[in-house]
Amino acid sequence: MATWLVSSALLLLLTSTASYAQGPGSGGPVPGPVTPPDPTAVPIDGGASLLLAGGAAYALKRLRKHRQG
């Protein structure tokens, strides 16, 4: 039991340095007078409207089927 406890403590101490936060310069946006566009911005194009129209058509079909049967 004591060897298991010692080896667990040693393993915890050796791997604790890997849990530190990432330092500056991680590739994120930088503050300044000229900022690049937001890297997480996602354009909403025709694909989203097609999915919305398809979902609405499917919902209407299910509602009509539910009312008839």
Side-chain angles (χ1 to χ4, degrees), residues 8-32:
S8 297
L10 184 62
L11 182 65
L12 181 66
L13 288 173
L14 289 175
T15 58
S16 65
T17 57
S19 65
Y20 288 125
Q22 194 174 17
S26 62
V30 292

